[in-house]
Amino acid sequence: MKNNTRGFSVSNLLKNPADLMEIARNPGKFGLDTFKSLSNQQKQYVAFAAAAGLLVYGFMVNRR
């Protein structure tokens, strides 16, 4: 599988405003590219945080 992602850096976004327009046009692709550029350990952290968020959301919806 080919990986054409570049590293994510906030400082790079500030140096190149054209990247900000790219993000505004297609935020889903930017998010996916950012996720693909993470290491496996960081991906596990993101998955754990998403699961925890879904659990909290489920409890909040169930209480109402």
Side-chain angles (χ1 to χ4, degrees):
M1 184 186 302
K2 191 163 74 166
N3 191 357
N4 289 334
T5 60
R6 58 188 164 167
F8 173 72
S9 173
V10 176
S11 62
N12 287 345
L13 290 176
L14 295 176
K15 290 177 186 174
N16 190 1
D19 285 346
L20 291 174
M21 290 304 297
E22 181 182 338
I23 293 167
R25 275 187 242 127
N26 194 355
K29 182 181 182 314
F30 175 75
L32 190 57
D33 288 346
T34 303
F35 183 76
K36 287 180 180 178
S37 70
L38 298 174
S39 69
N40 284 336
Q41 185 178 15
Q42 291 172 336
K43 287 178 184 178
Q44 289 174 347
Y45 290 148
V46 170
F48 179 75
L54 284 174
L55 285 173
V56 170
Y57 176 74
F59 286 130
M60 297 301 290
V61 168
N62 194 25
R63 283 186 4 175
R64 292 183 184 178

Coordinates of all heavy atoms in Angstrom, one line a residue:
M1 N 0.8 -1.2 0.0 CA 0.0 0.0 0.0 C 0.9 1.2 0.0 O 1.8 1.3 0.7 CB -0.9 0.0 1.2 CG -1.9 1.1 1.2 SD -2.9 1.3 2.7 CE -3.7 -0.2 2.8
K2 N 0.5 2.2 -0.8 CA 1.3 3.4 -1.0 C 0.8 4.5 0.1 O -0.3 4.6 0.3 CB 1.1 3.9 -2.4 CG 2.0 5.0 -2.8 CD 2.0 5.2 -4.3 CE 0.8 5.8 -4.8 NZ 0.9 6.3 -6.2
N3 N 1.8 5.2 0.6 CA 1.5 6.2 1.6 C 2.0 7.5 1.2 O 3.2 7.8 1.2 CB 2.1 5.8 3.0 CG 1.5 6.6 4.1 OD1 0.8 7.6 3.9 ND2 1.9 6.3 5.3
N4 N 1.1 8.4 0.7 CA 1.5 9.7 0.2 C 1.2 10.8 1.2 O 1.1 11.9 0.8 CB 0.8 10.0 -1.1 CG 1.2 9.1 -2.2 OD1 2.4 8.7 -2.2 ND2 0.4 8.9 -3.2
T5 N 1.2 10.5 2.5 CA 0.9 11.5 3.4 C 2.1 12.3 3.9 O 3.2 11.7 3.8 CB 0.2 10.9 4.7 OG1 1.1 10.0 5.3 CG2 -1.1 10.2 4.3
R6 N 1.9 13.5 4.2 CA 3.0 14.3 4.8 C 2.8 14.5 6.2 O 1.7 14.3 6.7 CB 3.1 15.6 4.0 CG 1.8 16.4 4.2 CD 1.8 17.6 3.3 NE 0.4 18.0 3.2 CZ 0.0 19.1 2.8 NH1 0.9 20.0 2.3 NH2 -1.2 19.4 2.8
G7 N 3.8 14.8 7.0 CA 3.7 15.0 8.4 C 2.9 16.2 8.7 O 2.9 17.2 8.0
F8 N 2.1 16.1 9.8 CA 1.3 17.2 10.2 C 2.0 18.1 11.2 O 2.6 17.6 12.2 CB 0.0 16.6 10.9 CG -0.8 17.7 11.5 CD1 -1.5 18.6 10.7 CD2 -0.9 17.8 12.9 CE1 -2.3 19.6 11.3 CE2 -1.7 18.8 13.4 CZ -2.4 19.7 12.6
S9 N 2.0 19.4 11.0 CA 2.6 20.3 11.9 C 1.8 21.6 11.9 O 1.5 22.1 10.8 CB 4.0 20.5 11.5 OG 4.6 21.6 12.3
V10 N 1.5 22.1 13.0 CA 0.7 23.4 13.1 C 1.6 24.5 12.5 O 1.1 25.4 11.9 CB 0.3 23.7 14.5 CG1 -0.4 25.0 14.6 CG2 -0.7 22.6 15.0
S11 N 2.9 24.5 12.8 CA 3.8 25.5 12.3 C 3.8 25.5 10.8 O 3.9 26.6 10.2 CB 5.2 25.4 12.9 OG 5.7 24.2 12.5
N12 N 3.7 24.4 10.2 CA 3.7 24.3 8.7 C 2.4 24.9 8.2 O 2.4 25.6 7.1 CB 3.8 22.9 8.2 CG 5.2 22.3 8.4 OD1 6.1 23.1 8.6 ND2 5.3 21.0 8.3
L13 N 1.3 24.8 8.9 CA 0.1 25.4 8.5 C 0.2 26.9 8.6 O -0.4 27.6 7.7 CB -1.1 24.9 9.3 CG -1.5 23.5 9.2 CD1 -2.6 23.1 10.1 CD2 -2.0 23.2 7.7
L14 N 0.8 27.4 9.6 CA 0.9 28.9 9.7 C 1.9 29.4 8.7 O 1.7 30.6 8.2 CB 1.4 29.2 11.1 CG 0.4 28.9 12.2 CD1 1.1 29.1 13.6 CD2 -0.9 29.6 12.1
K15 N 2.9 28.7 8.3 CA 3.8 29.1 7.3 C 3.2 29.1 5.9 O 3.6 29.9 5.0 CB 5.1 28.3 7.3 CG 5.9 28.5 8.5 CD 7.1 27.6 8.6 CE 7.9 27.7 9.9 NZ 9.0 26.7 10.0
N16 N 2.3 28.2 5.6 CA 1.8 28.0 4.3 C 0.2 28.2 4.4 O -0.5 27.2 4.6 CB 2.1 26.7 3.7 CG 1.8 26.5 2.3 OD1 1.3 27.5 1.7 ND2 2.0 25.4 1.7
P17 N -0.3 29.4 4.2 CA -1.8 29.6 4.3 C -2.6 28.8 3.2 O -3.8 28.6 3.4 CB -1.9 31.1 4.1 CG -0.6 31.7 4.2 CD 0.4 30.6 3.9
A18 N -1.9 28.4 2.1 CA -2.7 27.6 1.1 C -3.1 26.3 1.7 O -4.2 25.8 1.3 CB -1.8 27.4 -0.1
D19 N -2.4 25.7 2.7 CA -2.8 24.5 3.3 C -4.1 24.7 4.1 O -5.0 23.8 4.2 CB -1.8 24.0 4.3 CG -0.6 23.3 3.5 OD1 -0.7 23.1 2.3 OD2 0.5 23.1 4.1
L20 N -4.3 25.9 4.7 CA -5.5 26.2 5.4 C -6.7 26.2 4.5 O -7.8 25.7 4.8 CB -5.4 27.6 6.1 CG -4.4 27.6 7.3 CD1 -4.3 29.0 7.8 CD2 -4.9 26.7 8.4
M21 N -6.5 26.7 3.2 CA -7.6 26.7 2.3 C -8.0 25.2 1.9 O -9.1 24.9 1.7 CB -7.3 27.5 1.0 CG -7.3 29.0 1.3 SD -8.8 29.6 2.0 CE -9.9 29.3 0.7
E22 N -6.9 24.4 1.7 CA -7.1 23.0 1.4 C -7.9 22.3 2.5 O -8.8 21.5 2.2 CB -5.8 22.3 1.2 CG -5.9 20.9 0.9 CD -4.5 20.2 0.8 OE1 -3.5 20.9 0.6 OE2 -4.4 19.0 0.9
I23 N -7.6 22.6 3.8 CA -8.4 22.1 4.9 C -9.8 22.5 4.9 O -10.7 21.7 5.1 CB -7.7 22.5 6.2 CG1 -6.3 21.8 6.3 CG2 -8.6 22.1 7.4 CD1 -5.5 22.4 7.4
A24 N -10.1 23.8 4.6 CA -11.4 24.3 4.5 C -12.2 23.7 3.4 O -13.4 23.5 3.6 CB -11.4 25.8 4.4
R25 N -11.6 23.4 2.3 CA -12.3 22.8 1.1 C -12.7 21.3 1.4 O -13.7 20.9 1.0 CB -11.5 22.9 -0.1 CG -11.6 24.2 -0.8 CD -10.9 24.2 -2.2 NE -9.9 25.3 -2.0 CZ -8.7 25.2 -2.3 NH1 -8.2 24.0 -2.7 NH2 -7.8 26.2 -2.1
N26 N -11.8 20.6 2.0 CA -12.0 19.2 2.2 C -11.5 18.7 3.6 O -10.5 18.1 3.7 CB -11.3 18.4 1.1 CG -11.8 16.9 1.0 OD1 -12.6 16.5 1.9 ND2 -11.3 16.2 0.0
P27 N -12.3 19.0 4.7 CA -11.8 18.7 6.0 C -11.7 17.2 6.2 O -10.9 16.7 7.0 CB -12.8 19.3 6.9 CG -14.0 19.6 6.1 CD -13.5 19.7 4.7
G28 N -12.6 16.4 5.6 CA -12.5 14.9 5.8 C -11.2 14.3 5.3 O -10.6 13.5 6.0
K29 N -10.8 14.7 4.1 CA -9.5 14.2 3.6 C -8.3 14.6 4.5 O -7.5 13.8 4.7 CB -9.3 14.7 2.2 CG -8.0 14.2 1.5 CD -7.9 14.7 0.1 CE -6.7 14.2 -0.6 NZ -5.4 14.1 0.2
F30 N -8.3 15.9 5.0 CA -7.3 16.3 5.8 C -7.2 15.5 7.1 O -6.2 15.1 7.5 CB -7.4 17.8 6.2 CG -6.4 18.3 7.1 CD1 -5.1 18.5 6.8 CD2 -6.8 18.5 8.5 CE1 -4.2 19.0 7.7 CE2 -5.9 18.9 9.4 CZ -4.6 19.2 9.0
G31 N -8.4 15.2 7.7 CA -8.4 14.4 8.9 C -7.9 13.0 8.7 O -7.2 12.5 9.5
L32 N -8.3 12.4 7.5 CA -7.9 11.1 7.2 C -6.4 11.0 7.0 O -5.6 10.1 7.4 CB -8.6 10.5 6.0 CG -8.4 9.1 5.7 CD1 -8.8 8.2 6.9 CD2 -9.3 8.7 4.5
D33 N -5.9 12.0 6.2 CA -4.4 12.1 6.0 C -3.6 12.3 7.3 O -2.6 11.7 7.5 CB -4.1 13.3 5.0 CG -4.5 13.0 3.6 OD1 -4.8 11.8 3.3 OD2 -4.6 14.0 2.8
T34 N -4.2 13.1 8.2 CA -3.5 13.3 9.5 C -3.5 12.0 10.3 O -2.5 11.7 10.9 CB -4.2 14.4 10.3 OG1 -4.3 15.6 9.5 CG2 -3.5 14.7 11.6
F35 N -4.6 11.3 10.3 CA -4.7 10.0 11.0 C -3.7 9.0 10.4 O -3.1 8.3 11.2 CB -6.1 9.5 11.0 CG -6.3 8.2 11.7 CD1 -6.4 8.3 13.1 CD2 -6.4 7.0 11.1 CE1 -6.5 7.1 13.9 CE2 -6.6 5.9 11.9 CZ -6.6 5.9 13.2
K36 N -3.6 9.0 9.1 CA -2.7 8.0 8.5 C -1.2 8.3 8.8 O -0.4 7.5 8.8 CB -2.9 8.0 7.0 CG -4.1 7.3 6.6 CD -4.3 7.3 5.1 CE -5.5 6.6 4.6 NZ -5.6 6.6 3.1
S37 N -0.9 9.6 9.1 CA 0.4 10.0 9.3 C 0.9 9.7 10.8 O 2.0 9.8 11.1 CB 0.7 11.5 9.0 OG 0.0 12.3 9.9
L38 N -0.1 9.3 11.6 CA 0.2 9.1 13.0 C 0.9 7.7 13.2 O 0.7 6.8 12.3 CB -1.0 9.1 13.9 CG -1.8 10.3 14.0 CD1 -3.1 10.1 14.7 CD2 -1.0 11.4 14.6
S39 N 1.7 7.5 14.2 CA 2.3 6.2 14.5 C 1.2 5.3 15.1 O 0.1 5.7 15.4 CB 3.4 6.4 15.6 OG 2.8 6.7 16.8
N40 N 1.5 4.0 15.1 CA 0.5 3.0 15.6 C 0.1 3.3 17.0 O -1.1 3.2 17.4 CB 1.0 1.6 15.4 CG 1.0 1.1 14.0 OD1 0.2 1.6 13.2 ND2 1.8 0.2 13.7
Q41 N 1.0 3.7 17.8 CA 0.7 4.0 19.2 C -0.3 5.2 19.3 O -1.2 5.2 20.1 CB 1.9 4.3 20.0 CG 1.7 4.5 21.5 CD 3.0 4.7 22.3 OE1 4.0 5.0 21.7 NE2 2.9 4.6 23.6
Q42 N 0.0 6.3 18.5 CA -0.9 7.4 18.5 C -2.3 7.1 18.0 O -3.3 7.6 18.5 CB -0.2 8.5 17.7 CG 1.0 9.1 18.4 CD 1.7 10.1 17.5 OE1 1.6 10.1 16.3 NE2 2.4 11.0 18.1
K43 N -2.3 6.2 17.0 CA -3.6 5.7 16.5 C -4.4 5.0 17.6 O -5.6 5.1 17.7 CB -3.4 4.8 15.3 CG -3.0 5.5 14.0 CD -2.8 4.6 12.9 CE -2.3 5.3 11.7 NZ -2.0 4.3 10.6
Q44 N -3.7 4.2 18.4 CA -4.4 3.5 19.5 C -4.9 4.6 20.5 O -6.1 4.4 21.0 CB -3.4 2.6 20.2 CG -3.1 1.4 19.4 CD -2.0 0.5 20.0 OE1 -1.4 0.9 21.0 NE2 -1.9 -0.7 19.5
Y45 N -4.2 5.6 20.8 CA -4.7 6.6 21.7 C -5.9 7.3 21.1 O -6.9 7.6 21.8 CB -3.6 7.7 21.9 CG -2.4 7.2 22.7 CD1 -1.2 7.8 22.5 CD2 -2.6 6.3 23.7 CE1 -0.1 7.4 23.3 CE2 -1.5 5.9 24.5 CZ -0.3 6.4 24.3 OH 0.8 6.0 25.0
V46 N -6.0 7.6 19.8 CA -7.1 8.2 19.2 C -8.3 7.3 19.3 O -9.4 7.7 19.6 CB -6.8 8.6 17.7 CG1 -8.0 9.0 17.0 CG2 -5.8 9.7 17.7
A47 N -8.1 6.0 19.0 CA -9.2 5.0 19.0 C -9.7 4.9 20.5 O -11.0 4.8 20.7 CB -8.7 3.7 18.5
F48 N -8.9 4.9 21.5 CA -9.3 4.8 22.9 C -10.1 6.1 23.2 O -11.1 6.0 23.9 CB -8.1 4.6 23.8 CG -8.5 4.6 25.2 CD1 -9.1 3.4 25.8 CD2 -8.3 5.7 26.1 CE1 -9.4 3.4 27.1 CE2 -8.7 5.6 27.4 CZ -9.2 4.5 27.9
A49 N -9.6 7.2 22.8 CA -10.3 8.5 23.2 C -11.7 8.5 22.5 O -12.7 9.0 23.1 CB -9.5 9.7 22.7
A50 N -11.8 8.0 21.2 CA -13.1 8.0 20.5 C -14.0 7.0 21.2 O -15.2 7.3 21.4 CB -12.9 7.6 19.1
A51 N -13.5 5.9 21.7 CA -14.4 4.9 22.4 C -14.9 5.5 23.7 O -16.0 5.3 24.1 CB -13.6 3.6 22.6
A52 N -14.0 6.1 24.4 CA -14.4 6.8 25.7 C -15.4 7.9 25.5 O -16.4 8.0 26.2 CB -13.1 7.3 26.4
G53 N -15.2 8.6 24.4 CA -16.2 9.7 24.1 C -17.6 9.1 23.7 O -18.6 9.7 24.1
L54 N -17.6 8.0 23.0 CA -18.9 7.4 22.7 C -19.6 6.8 23.9 O -20.8 6.9 24.0 CB -18.6 6.3 21.7 CG -18.4 6.7 20.2 CD1 -18.0 5.5 19.3 CD2 -19.6 7.4 19.7
L55 N -18.8 6.3 24.8 CA -19.4 5.8 26.1 C -20.0 6.9 26.9 O -21.1 6.8 27.4 CB -18.3 5.0 26.9 CG -17.9 3.6 26.4 CD1 -16.8 3.1 27.3 CD2 -19.1 2.7 26.5
V56 N -19.3 8.0 27.0 CA -19.8 9.1 27.8 C -21.0 9.7 27.1 O -22.0 10.0 27.7 CB -18.7 10.2 27.9 CG1 -19.3 11.5 28.5 CG2 -17.6 9.7 28.8
Y57 N -21.0 9.8 25.8 CA -22.1 10.3 25.0 C -23.3 9.4 25.2 O -24.5 9.8 25.4 CB -21.8 10.4 23.5 CG -22.9 10.8 22.7 CD1 -23.4 12.1 22.7 CD2 -23.6 9.9 21.9 CE1 -24.5 12.5 21.9 CE2 -24.7 10.2 21.1 CZ -25.1 11.6 21.1 OH -26.2 11.9 20.3
G58 N -23.1 8.1 25.2 CA -24.2 7.1 25.4 C -24.8 7.3 26.8 O -26.0 7.2 27.0
F59 N -24.0 7.4 27.8 CA -24.5 7.6 29.2 C -25.3 8.9 29.3 O -26.4 9.0 29.9 CB -23.4 7.6 30.2 CG -22.8 6.3 30.5 CD1 -21.5 6.1 30.4 CD2 -23.7 5.2 30.8 CE1 -20.9 4.8 30.7 CE2 -23.1 3.9 31.0 CZ -21.8 3.7 31.0
M60 N -24.8 10.0 28.6 CA -25.5 11.3 28.7 C -26.9 11.2 28.0 O -27.9 11.7 28.4 CB -24.7 12.4 28.1 CG -23.4 12.6 28.8 SD -23.7 13.1 30.6 CE -24.4 14.7 30.3
V61 N -26.9 10.5 26.8 CA -28.2 10.4 26.1 C -29.2 9.5 26.9 O -30.4 9.8 26.9 CB -27.9 9.8 24.7 CG1 -29.2 9.4 24.0 CG2 -27.2 10.9 23.9
N62 N -28.7 8.5 27.5 CA -29.5 7.6 28.3 C -30.1 8.2 29.5 O -31.2 7.9 29.9 CB -28.7 6.3 28.7 CG -29.6 5.2 29.2 OD1 -30.7 5.1 28.8 ND2 -29.0 4.4 30.0
R63 N -29.4 9.2 30.1 CA -29.9 9.9 31.2 C -31.1 10.8 30.9 O -31.9 11.1 31.8 CB -28.8 10.7 31.9 CG -27.9 9.9 32.7 CD -26.9 10.7 33.5 NE -27.0 12.1 33.4 CZ -26.3 13.0 34.1 NH1 -25.3 12.5 34.9 NH2 -26.4 14.3 34.0
R64 N -31.2 11.3 29.7 CA -32.3 12.2 29.4 C -33.6 11.6 29.1 O -33.9 10.6 28.8 CB -31.9 13.0 28.2 CG -30.8 14.0 28.5 CD -30.4 14.8 27.3 NE -29.2 15.6 27.7 CZ -28.7 16.4 26.9 NH1 -29.1 16.6 25.7 NH2 -27.6 17.1 27.3

